Amino acid sequence: AKRQGRNHYQFYTADISERFHVSVTIRNELQHVLEQNALQLFYQPIFSAKDHTIVGVEALLRWQREDGSYVSPAEFIPLAEDSGQIIPIGSWVLQQACSDGVRLQEYGDFQVAVNLSSIQVHRANFIESLKHTLNLTGFKSSKLNLELTESILMEDSHQAIRILDALRVQGFSVSIDDFGTGFSSLSYLKSLPIDTLKIDRSFIQDVISGKHDAAIARGIIAMASQLDLNVVAEGVETAEQVAFVEEAGCHYMQGFYFARPMPFSELICFIQNYKAK
Ligand code: C2E
Ligand code: CA
Ligand code: CA
Ligand code: CA
């Protein structure tokens, strides 16, 4: 048993050092992504639960390496946050999403949602740079939805409230992303100027098989509706899940059941050919 334990330990350290190596490589490559035009935005449509029409899209960052492989944002965004590169990358995302958003308006009245990192939001000139991006691109603040995670709110809630108030004054809408995965989610909802909750995919996944997840999802939807918030169910993959979240009173849905994230040109084709089912 001792020997086995030791082998496990060796395996464990090898794994850690390999992971470390991978992240150092990514970190180095990451420094050049902007110069190399290696970043791209994909867009995933968001659907009304009422009639399954498309109400908006979420911009999702993609990094394609020279060899054609993709690095997941879940992997490189935390590294970009550590190194500070999330600032120029985040500015690029906003600018790209807004200029695509302007073109998207030719095809319908769609909201564009952009994910923001807490580091971006807590920068002193965040609101100014946001306004600058809108001026530059001509996109309207009322069409831009900013997705923030609960962690942003927990770090400094007074500061968070100030920022959210300022965003609202400027006409932006704000969503809380991955709702339910953070801490003390419930207490701040009544005091924060937010518009939408996005229920994390982890709760949607098991609504059919798992009694508890079903109860949590139903509870979040009911509570949010009482608080006059919109609710988006994330990661809807099956017809059963669609039926469940609709029955529970969810307003919007997003997930592979309807559409995967896709490049902007494909999104335009998708929108033009889409028939609500
Ligand atoms: P997120 O904001 O929660 O985005 C939803 C993620 O779920 C996306 O992963 C999307 O591709 C995936 N997804 C959507 N529908 C389904 C489904 O039905 N099934 C499954 N299995 N997955 C689904 P993605 O694109 O890999 O992004 C991962 C995370 O990276 C995002 O999670 C977000 O936190 C972060 N991220 C992406 N783009 C940006 C960005 O521009 N800025 C920042 N700060 N973070 C970003
Ligand atoms: Ca999101
Ligand atoms: Ca999410
Ligand atoms: Ca997530």
Side-chain angles (χ1 to χ4, degrees):
K2 207 174 172 186
R3 239 187 107 185
Q4 202 187 21
R6 199 168 155 198
N7 284 339
H8 273 256
Y9 178 70
Q10 282 172 343
F11 175 74
Y12 182 66
T13 48
D15 190 45
I16 295 250
S17 80
E18 172 158 336
R19 286 181 65 93
F20 179 73
H21 183 71
V22 168
S23 66
V24 168
T25 311
I26 290 181
R27 226 179 272 268
N28 290 336
E29 288 178 69
L30 196 54
Q31 295 181 330
H32 309 288
V33 283
L34 284 170
E35 304 144 40
Q36 293 173 342
N37 293 321
L39 295 182
Q40 209 187 334
L41 286 183
F42 274 31
Y43 293 93
Q44 186 178 31
I46 300 173
F47 296 82
S48 158
K50 200 170 53 191
D51 54 12
H52 293 194
T53 53
I54 302 169
V55 295
V57 297
E58 177 177 1
L60 292 159
L61 192 52
R62 296 290 177 265
W63 168 14
Q64 193 168 25
R65 284 174 154 149
E66 278 180 1
D67 66 5
S69 65
Y70 283 97
V71 187
S72 161
E75 191 167 3
F76 73 81
I77 283 173
L79 297 174
E81 287 175 336
D82 285 348
S83 69
Q85 279 162 294
I86 193 66
I87 297 298
I89 290 175
S91 303
W92 179 86
V93 168
L94 274 166
Q95 179 133 353
Q96 187 65 43
C98 288
S99 52
D100 286 343
V102 169
R103 290 169 58 198
L104 192 61
Q105 296 306 305
E106 294 169 25
Y107 301 90
D109 186 21
F110 302 113
Q111 288 271 327
V112 176
V114 174
N115 293 284
L116 298 178
S117 148
S118 78
I119 295 169
Q120 271 175 288
V121 172
H122 285 300
R123 290 258 294 193
N125 65 352
F126 168 64
I127 305 235
E128 283 311 309
S129 71
L130 202 53
K131 279 160 66 178
H132 179 69
T133 305
L134 292 183
N135 285 335
L136 222 62
T137 56
F139 197 51
K140 288 204 195 73
S141 62
S142 61
K143 295 290 147 210
L144 188 60
N145 183 275
L146 304 170
E147 296 198 1
L148 312 176
T149 58
E150 290 167 284
S151 65
I152 298 186
L153 308 169
M154 299 335 297
E155 280 162 24
D156 179 348
S157 59
H158 291 287
Q159 170 76 352
I161 289 175
R162 268 197 298 277
I163 295 169
L164 292 176
D165 277 332
L167 289 174
R168 176 156 285 188
V169 167
Q170 297 295 330
F172 299 98
S173 56
V174 174
S175 299
I176 301 299
D177 203 356
D178 302 344
F179 186 77
T181 59
F183 292 104
S184 50
S185 322
L186 305 175
S187 58
Y188 63 69
L189 278 183
K190 59 176 198 283
S191 54
L192 286 180
I194 52 175
D195 307 275
T196 301
L197 294 185
K198 299 190 79 172
I199 305 182
D200 193 65
R201 173 159 60 88
S202 58
F203 297 112
I204 304 302
Q205 239 162 19
D206 293 326
V207 288
I208 304 304
S209 55
K211 251 192 180 152
H212 291 140
D213 284 327
I216 292 170
R218 267 207 197 90
I220 294 174
I221 294 166
M223 175 195 65
S225 297
Q226 291 287 310
L227 293 168
D228 284 329
L229 297 169
N230 292 314
V231 189
V232 182
E234 292 193 305
V236 175
E237 292 182 353
T238 67
E240 289 78 16
Q241 290 167 351
V242 169
F244 176 92
V245 298
E246 285 179 354
E247 202 264 323
C250 192
H251 309 100
Y252 304 106
M253 297 177 289
Q254 181 180 359
F256 294 172
Y257 175 76
F258 290 101
R260 289 182 178 253
M262 59 191 107
F264 186 74
S265 56
E266 276 179 38
L267 173 73
I268 297 304
C269 289
F270 182 89
I271 285 172
Q272 289 182 308
N273 294 312
Y274 179 74
K275 302 232 174 3
K277 50 180 166 178

